[in-house]
Amino acid sequence: MILYLHGFRSGPQSQKVQALALRMAQRGLGDYLWCEQLSPVPCEAIAQAEAQLARCTTPPLLAGSSLGGFYATHLAEKHALQAVVINPFVPHAGFDQSLFIGEHQMIYSGERFSFTAEHAAQIAALDVARISRPENFWLLAEEGDEVLDYRHALKRYAGCHQSVLPGGDHSFTRWDDYLDAVIERAGLAA
C-alpha cells in the first residue's frame, strides 16, 4: 500500500497523484494507493492519515510532496515507516510561517480556507527535530524548486537516500521517471 499525502492547497487530482495512480493501475495495483483530500488544518490532516494507517494490514509506504512530505516525515518517524518525500517542506531557522497565514484557495476544488497562526503552531508541534531512521527515507528533490530551497531538505535528510536533480521546479518535473522505483520501494510487484 502507498499512502500519498499531497501538498498545501493541492489534492488527489494533482499530476503526481494521477501519474502514480495510472502507473499502479497499469501494473494491476490500482487498489493499493490511498490519497484523499487532506484537511487544510494540519492536525486534522495528520488524523486523516492516521485513520488510514490504522486500516492498513501491512506497513504502507508513505509518499508526500511539499507539505505532504513534511507530514510523511512526521508519520514515518512516529510509526517507523518507509517514506518517499518529494520537494518536502522543511521548517528551518529563519522560515517565516506567517507567509502562509491568511486566506487561500485549493487548486483543484476551488474551496477557500483560512490558514491561521494556530495552524502554523500545529506545524511547529509536528516538526521532527532530526531524522532518527535515515534508512527509511528517500528524498526526491529538484534544485530548481522555486517555492522551497532544496538545500534545507538536503540538510534535514542528510544520511538518507537522496536523488537530487539539477533544474526542475516545485512540481518535481521528473516524477514519471521514478514511478516504478517508488512502487517497488513499497514492496509492490505485478
Side-chain angles (χ1 to χ4, degrees):
M1 175 67 74
I2 297 175
L3 273 63
Y4 190 99
L5 306 170
H6 64 74
F8 188 70
R9 297 181 47 240
S10 191
Q13 306 88 347
S14 78
Q15 182 180 359
K16 284 188 289 300
V17 176
Q18 292 303 304
L20 182 59
L22 177 60
R23 182 64 56 87
M24 290 180 73
Q26 290 168 342
R27 293 181 61 169
L29 300 168
D31 292 337
Y32 294 94
L33 175 64
W34 177 89
C35 181
E36 67 179 44
Q37 184 67 54
L38 296 175
S39 170
V41 177
C43 286
E44 291 177 9
I46 290 294
Q48 286 174 267
E50 291 272 14
Q52 182 59 30
L53 282 172
R55 291 190 281 273
C56 291
T57 56
T58 59
L61 171 73
L62 299 168
S65 177
S66 193
L67 185 58
F70 171 83
Y71 292 154
T73 300
H74 169 81
L75 293 166
E77 280 289 291
K78 180 178 178 181
H79 298 287
L81 296 171
Q82 295 281 317
V84 175
V85 293
I86 307 117
N87 283 339
F89 168 69
V90 176
H92 55 85
F95 179 76
D96 183 3
Q97 289 192 348
S98 70
L99 298 173
F100 289 109
I101 294 175
E103 292 295 315
H104 298 278
Q105 186 172 3
M106 293 292 190
I107 295 168
Y108 302 101
S109 70
E111 176 186 345
R112 298 195 63 74
F113 67 95
S114 293
F115 192 83
T116 67
E118 179 184 337
H119 299 148
Q122 289 174 11
I123 286 178
L126 293 168
D127 193 16
V128 172
R130 68 176 188 82
I131 303 296
S132 64
R133 299 174 190 90
E135 67 279 4
N136 285 359
F137 289 88
W138 180 14
L139 168 66
L140 294 173
E142 288 184 326
E143 294 174 354
D145 186 336
E146 74 284 6
V147 176
L148 302 172
D149 186 336
Y150 77 98
R151 293 171 293 191
H152 296 293
L154 291 181
K155 185 176 178 181
R156 169 60 56 95
Y157 299 94
C160 302
H161 180 68
Q162 296 185 354
S163 298
V164 182
L165 308 171
D169 60 34
H170 189 62
S171 73
F172 195 78
T173 60
R174 286 161 279 194
W175 175 239
D176 288 356
D177 297 340
Y178 289 87
L179 294 174
D180 290 320
V182 169
I183 293 167
E184 288 156 19
R185 188 166 179 113
L188 300 172

